[in-house]
Amino acid sequence: MKRGLATILLFMTAAEPAAAHSPVKGIGIFYNGMLHPYLVPGHLLVLLALGLMIGQHAPSSSRYALPTFLVTFLASSALLWWLPIAPLPETLLLVVSLLAGLMVAVSVAPGLVSIFLAVVAGIVLGLNSNPEGVPPEQTGLALAGTVSGAVLAILYAGGLSAWLARFPSWPPIAVRVLGSWTAACALLVLVLQYAKTGAVL
């Protein structure tokens, strides 16, 4: 018993500090940045929810919402590269994920709402993508990877949603189910944050 306790304490003292955006060793700066949107739950949820919402009613919804997201995300990422800006609360990403997921679940044509959600998501996502554990001279390379990974994620989610929406039977229902799951995940994380801090924002 004592030997097991001593072993656990030894591992605890040897462990490195945890960081939400810490790099994965051995794969390079660019690919670490590329993986970043997939390793942070709030980032992945908002990309999936927005992609599903934009693709579900394409091309009417994707004509403006997708370029809006891309422009705001690129602009905020570039601003983060040039200026030391404090990150916005990731809770905003969860709220966007919740709203977009609900719109997918009920299959509502988003209209101007999709553009507004795309703007909020692009700004918050860009300002929350500051890489940790990266030398300052390689921050741009890491951010380029993050932008590439996020753009691929939203394009694949939107393309899958648009492709499934063309079928007459169960595939559109699958998109709505995915949207409801995304909204449920976002709501669950929001509730857990509220229970932990006593305030959502």
Side-chain angles (χ1 to χ4, degrees):
M1 179 69 178
K2 291 182 179 179
R3 183 178 298 175
L5 182 60
T7 304
I8 293 173
L9 290 174
L10 182 63
F11 277 116
M12 289 175 63
T13 55
E16 297 181 358
H21 300 177
S22 58
V24 179
K25 294 180 180 179
I27 64 171
I29 300 295
F30 179 82
Y31 292 107
N32 263 298
M34 202 167 183
L35 283 176
H36 180 266
Y38 304 94
L39 299 178
V40 181
H43 294 199
L44 182 59
L45 281 174
V46 77
L47 291 169
L48 179 60
L50 268 182
L52 291 174
M53 181 190 69
I54 290 171
Q56 188 179 35
H57 298 282
S60 60
S61 57
S62 60
R63 186 176 293 118
Y64 301 108
L66 183 58
T68 299
F69 169 78
L70 296 177
V71 168
T72 53
F73 180 48
L74 287 171
S76 57
S77 298
L79 192 61
L80 180 66
W81 183 23
W82 290 324
L83 298 174
I85 300 175
L88 296 175
E90 287 191 14
T91 305
L92 292 173
L93 294 178
L94 296 171
V95 173
V96 172
S97 305
L98 175 61
L99 295 175
L102 289 175
M103 294 178 71
V104 173
V106 297
S107 191
V108 173
L112 291 177
V113 177
S114 65
I115 298 176
F116 173 74
L117 294 179
V119 169
V120 174
I123 292 173
V124 179
L125 194 64
L127 295 181
N128 278 279
S129 296
N130 191 22
E132 294 180 0
V134 175
E137 64 274 9
Q138 294 184 319
T139 300
L141 183 61
L143 285 174
T146 299
V147 168
S148 301
V151 169
L152 285 175
I154 198 167
L155 288 178
Y156 275 115
L160 176 65
S161 179
W163 179 67
L164 291 175
R166 296 185 304 171
F167 293 91
S169 54
W170 64 265
I173 298 175
V175 174
R176 297 176 65 179
V177 170
L178 281 174
S180 66
W181 286 352
T182 305
C185 290
L187 181 61
L188 179 61
V189 177
L190 283 169
V191 170
L192 289 174
Q193 285 187 357
Y194 181 82
K196 183 178 180 181
T197 64
V200 175
L201 290 175

